[in-house]
Amino acid sequence: MASFPNVVVLDHPLVQHKLTRLRQVTTSTAGFRRLTREISLLMAYEATRDLKLEPVEIETPLEPMTATMLSGKKLCFVSILRAGNGILDGMLDLVPAARVGHIGLYRDPDTLEPVEYYIKLPDDLSERFCIVVDPMLATGHSAVVAVTKLKQAGAKQIAFVCLLSVPEGLATFTEAHPDVKVITAAIDRELDEHGYIRPGLGDAGDRLFGTK
């Protein structure tokens, strides 16, 4: 397998355990949503590892002290619709004050290229760390377009978080955006002829929303 220096695979036992349950065909829609939310919260810890801190003076019940808090304007989560919302929910559990953006893309079934149908982003992206979320990094085309849109809107600090990825998608994405860290729970074997990740977990959007 090719090496991707800017890709972090989260091998934490809880992440891997929940991912295995997520993959199983017998997992219900409710179970899939719950597991996605739980994994996303755990992945948010890694995604926010490099946030800047600043010293603040506080009072504990016993004495004053110098402690640390997040510095300046903080986070923007950007969901690639519709399946990205499954990861967004878990991350907002951890950082409820984060700003949220949405980029609507669907994959043309014939060309496998992304088609944009909606975009709504906060105004101050240049001052925030933007974390783009989508369950799958398959062909990589949607992720490339989404991050390009963010950069065009002024974003300077960006990370991409997904449950599953494949070498083909990682190669496409890292070539287009070598400055953007990818955080994933697994790198699967390959894409099939329809652009689905193998072994994968099926269509994440359909499994999240019960549409198939």
Side-chain angles (χ1 to χ4, degrees):
M1 182 181 294
S3 174
F4 300 102
N6 215 24
V7 176
V8 177
V9 180
L10 292 187
D11 57 359
H12 191 285
L14 280 176
V15 173
Q16 294 305 311
H17 170 80
K18 293 176 185 295
L19 179 60
T20 296
R21 293 179 59 197
L22 198 69
R23 290 181 187 271
Q24 291 175 299
V25 68
T26 54
T27 298
S28 67
T29 298
F32 195 93
R33 288 176 186 158
R34 185 186 68 253
L35 287 163
T36 299
R37 194 172 190 135
E38 291 171 353
I39 295 172
S40 302
L41 193 151
L42 293 168
M43 296 184 77
Y45 283 99
E46 180 64 32
T48 56
R49 178 179 296 277
D50 296 327
L51 288 178
K52 303 299 183 185
L53 296 171
E54 63 183 1
V56 295
E57 301 300 319
I58 66 167
E59 293 272 350
T60 79
L62 299 177
E63 64 181 55
M65 69 168 288
T66 301
T68 55
M69 295 184 70
L70 292 176
S71 175
K73 291 189 176 180
K74 304 167 184 74
L75 284 174
C76 177
F77 296 130
V78 180
S79 171
I80 299 179
L81 299 174
R82 62 182 170 154
N85 282 359
I87 295 180
L88 176 66
D89 291 342
M91 294 204 167
L92 285 173
D93 286 344
L94 187 68
V95 195
R99 297 293 188 267
V100 176
H102 295 90
I103 298 177
L105 300 168
Y106 69 87
R107 188 168 61 179
D108 185 288
D110 297 321
T111 66
L112 303 184
E113 293 294 324
V115 179
E116 179 188 329
Y117 64 90
Y118 180 81
I119 184 166
K120 186 70 172 179
L121 301 170
D123 293 330
D124 55 354
L125 292 184
S126 63
E127 302 177 48
R128 295 183 181 275
F129 177 38
C130 297
I131 299 176
V132 183
V133 297
D134 196 10
M136 320 293 269
L137 181 61
T139 63
H141 297 151
S142 293
V144 167
V145 169
V147 171
T148 299
K149 293 286 184 182
L150 280 179
K151 288 181 176 180
Q152 291 170 347
K156 296 179 175 63
Q157 292 180 288
I158 305 171
F160 185 87
V161 175
C162 58
L163 299 176
L164 294 183
S165 57
V166 285
E168 299 97 316
L170 288 170
T172 296
F173 183 84
T174 56
E175 181 179 0
H177 298 294
D179 56 324
V180 176
K181 179 188 289 186
V182 177
I183 300 162
T184 184
I187 301 176
D188 276 15
R189 186 181 68 246
E190 63 185 357
L191 291 177
D192 66 17
E193 64 274 18
H194 302 293
Y196 283 95
I197 294 175
R198 298 284 183 155
L201 48 74
D203 186 298
D206 285 337
R207 296 193 70 185
L208 277 166
F209 301 112
T211 46
K212 276 192 180 177

